[in-house]
Amino acid sequence: MGNLCALLKPNHHEQSPSSSKKLRSTSRREKKKLDDASIREQAIAAALLYKQHQQNLQFDRSSSLRYPNGASKRNNGSNSLPRSSSSRARSLTDPLLQPHQLLNQGVKVDDLETNHFVLVHGGGFGAWCWYKTIALLEESGYKVAAIDLAGSGVHSFDTNNITSLSQYVKPLTDFLEKLPESQKVILVGHDFGGACISYAMELFPHKISKAVFIAAAMPTNGQSTLDIISKQAGSNDLMPQAQIFLYANGNDRPPTAFDLDKSLLRDLLFNQSPAKDVALASVSMRSVPFAPVLEKLSLSATKYGTVRRFYIKTLEDNAIPTSLQENMINAGPPEKFFHLKGADHSPFFSKPQALHKLLVEISTIL
């Protein structure tokens, strides 16, 4: 990939005044590009660390992706990671804020009801998709766990053998079951992860301080994720085009899982995301188990209904259009909902800073 720091290496040959002025101007432009690309350095570092983690992992349990402390700090030495550039201009809706800037605005993490986030990925994704969010939250002083659901990320189970939502969500319910009774967490679910955290909210309402749905399925009692998706039939041609059903039990039996056509991933899930994150997703996404999508949830007012819910809408979403997100909000109104302008279906890639700011804000709501 080359070391872009070489672009700033001084030239000791004599230069004419005109040439020196041009070099200084070029240097300033390159410095600005490097500053704008600092979040990209985090992307490269986390992706490399995650791939190394995959290679060394014994596939016997679900694991969380942890971003090493200080990995995102700039390294001015000669061995620093090469910085990356992107043709996507940074939007004003995703300002380049450092975590300490948020802390300096009065957020005292230790004084919150809970400073522990549990991140739950969507269908086909894994804990790896949260790497930017993990880095930003941890650097802001929060405790973070990212769960790989069964058959997802580095969890070794065969997706085709998952026959129920409880089986799919077991890594999450195991995590919550082991959590001390005195501790609470903020559950965050993306995409199909919304149905998964809803299931967990019914089982462990006393351990969940708040639930955040990000472009996620937010079912009502007796509703399945398929019931929700079917309401958008005809409004989005990309999803049915992208789905590739798998029939592990034979073509005369119901599908066991489905994949997403890699040639349509960018348009469907990542239409505002950097190219490097699309590449990471294309080699990391796995099949989505079909049975859990069909399962209707039993959600009670005395358990699920006691957990405070918040919804984050993604306004450039091609997978779950804003109209469908609004339908879910109207059907089961959360305490509050937020907008992420310019965010595609994967705001942890397309708007990581803006998403981080909203999660911090939600954590502080009394």
Side-chain angles (χ1 to χ4, degrees), residues 8 15-32:
L8 301 180
Q15 300 289 337
S16 68
S18 175
S19 298
S20 297
K21 185 175 181 181
K22 288 180 181 179
L23 284 175
R24 286 196 298 272
S25 176
T26 300
S27 178
R28 284 195 295 270
R29 287 198 300 270
E30 294 300 335
K31 184 178 184 300
K32 184 177 183 302

Side-chain angles (χ1 to χ4, degrees), residues 15 27 32 37 47 51 124 154 175 179 182-183 216 231 234 246 258 275-276 298 313 337 340-341 345 347 351 360:
Q15 300 289 337
S27 178
K32 184 177 183 302
K51 287 302 177 185
V154 297
F175 177 90
L179 199 69
S182 59
Q183 292 186 20
K231 292 183 178 181
L246 307 178
F258 65 89
K276 66 171 57 63
S298 178
K313 294 171 58 178
F337 64 88
L340 266 181
K341 294 180 181 179
H345 188 61
K351 296 293 175 186
V360 170

Side-chain angles (χ1 to χ4, degrees), residues 45-227:
L48 291 174
L49 287 168
Y50 181 77
K51 287 302 177 185
Q52 183 179 17
H53 173 70
Q54 276 189 311
Q55 292 170 359
N56 296 333
L57 185 70
Q58 295 295 324
F59 291 93
D60 58 355
R61 59 181 177 87
S62 174
S63 65
S64 301
L65 172 62
R66 307 294 290 178
Y67 200 101
N69 289 334
S72 65
K73 291 183 172 65
R74 294 184 183 180
N75 183 348
N76 294 324
S78 60
N79 293 326
S80 62
L81 283 171
R83 298 179 187 267
S84 173
S85 61
S86 171
S87 59
R88 184 178 68 92
R90 176 165 294 280
S91 166
L92 293 177
T93 62
D94 190 32
L96 186 58
L97 299 176
Q98 296 302 320
H100 67 80
Q101 290 179 277
L102 295 172
L103 291 175
N104 290 342
Q105 292 175 2
V107 178
K108 297 181 179 179
V109 174
D110 292 337
D111 293 340
L112 301 174
E113 178 186 11
T114 179
N115 60 7
H116 191 176
F117 278 93
V118 176
L119 310 177
V120 182
H121 62 81
F125 291 85
W128 52 267
C129 74
W130 297 107
Y131 74 89
K132 294 179 183 179
T133 302
I134 292 169
L136 291 169
L137 286 172
E138 287 188 340
E139 288 181 2
S140 293
Y142 290 89
K143 184 178 180 181
V144 188
I147 307 295
D148 273 325
L149 300 175
S152 305
V154 297
H155 191 283
S156 60
F157 199 80
D158 184 355
T159 307
N160 290 293
N161 293 329
I162 297 174
T163 58
S164 67
L165 184 59
S166 62
Q167 186 181 11
Y168 182 57
V169 182
K170 193 173 186 304
L172 173 61
T173 54
D174 284 350
F175 177 90
L176 293 172
E177 188 173 14
K178 294 173 183 176
L179 199 69
E181 292 294 326
S182 59
Q183 292 186 20
K184 288 190 173 185
V185 300
I186 299 174
L187 270 189
V188 180
H190 168 249
D191 185 78
F192 185 39
C196 299
I197 68 172
S198 297
Y199 181 89
M201 290 158 64
E202 180 69 17
L203 294 180
F204 302 98
H206 58 291
K207 292 187 176 183
I208 303 168
S209 170
K210 296 167 185 170
V212 185
F213 295 76
I214 303 175
M218 188 168 65
T220 55
N221 182 43
Q223 197 175 37
S224 70
T225 301
L226 183 63
D227 292 334

Side-chain angles (χ1 to χ4, degrees), residues 327-348:
N327 286 343
M328 290 186 285
I329 290 171
N330 293 332
E335 182 175 323
K336 189 173 182 179
F337 64 88
F338 304 83
H339 300 86
L340 266 181
K341 294 180 181 179
D344 56 23
H345 188 61
S346 307
F348 35 75

Side-chain angles (χ1 to χ4, degrees), residues 176-366:
L176 293 172
E177 188 173 14
K178 294 173 183 176
L179 199 69
E181 292 294 326
S182 59
Q183 292 186 20
K184 288 190 173 185
V185 300
I186 299 174
L187 270 189
V188 180
H190 168 249
D191 185 78
F192 185 39
C196 299
I197 68 172
S198 297
Y199 181 89
M201 290 158 64
E202 180 69 17
L203 294 180
F204 302 98
H206 58 291
K207 292 187 176 183
I208 303 168
S209 170
K210 296 167 185 170
V212 185
F213 295 76
I214 303 175
M218 188 168 65
T220 55
N221 182 43
Q223 197 175 37
S224 70
T225 301
L226 183 63
D227 292 334
I228 297 172
I229 295 173
S230 64
K231 292 183 178 181
Q232 76 175 63
S235 65
N236 181 3
D237 294 329
L238 277 177
M239 182 60 79
Q241 288 180 40
Q243 290 173 336
I244 303 172
F245 288 96
L246 307 178
Y247 297 84
N249 297 328
N251 292 337
D252 58 337
R253 303 290 299 277
T256 51
F258 65 89
D259 282 327
L260 295 175
D261 187 336
K262 292 188 185 302
S263 68
L264 296 176
L265 282 181
R266 176 183 289 278
D267 291 338
L268 181 65
L269 305 176
F270 312 114
N271 49 296
Q272 301 294 323
S273 296
K276 66 171 57 63
D277 292 325
V278 181
L280 173 63
S282 69
V283 299
S284 303
M285 292 189 73
R286 295 178 61 182
S287 302
V288 183
F290 195 57
V293 177
L294 303 176
E295 190 168 326
K296 297 181 183 296
L297 278 75
S298 178
L299 305 173
S300 66
T302 56
K303 294 182 179 179
Y304 169 86
T306 63
V307 180
R308 302 172 69 184
R309 288 179 294 120
F310 300 84
Y311 200 99
I312 298 178
K313 294 171 58 178
T314 45
L315 302 188
E316 300 295 332
D317 196 323
N318 289 338
I320 302 183
T322 53
S323 58
L324 182 57
Q325 296 179 52
E326 289 167 359
N327 286 343
M328 290 186 285
I329 290 171
N330 293 332
E335 182 175 323
K336 189 173 182 179
F337 64 88
F338 304 83
H339 300 86
L340 266 181
K341 294 180 181 179
D344 56 23
H345 188 61
S346 307
F348 35 75
F349 289 158
S350 59
K351 296 293 175 186
Q353 296 281 348
L355 175 60
H356 169 69
K357 189 174 181 180
L358 286 182
L359 292 177
V360 170
E361 180 179 345
I362 291 171
S363 75
T364 65
I365 296 176
L366 299 177

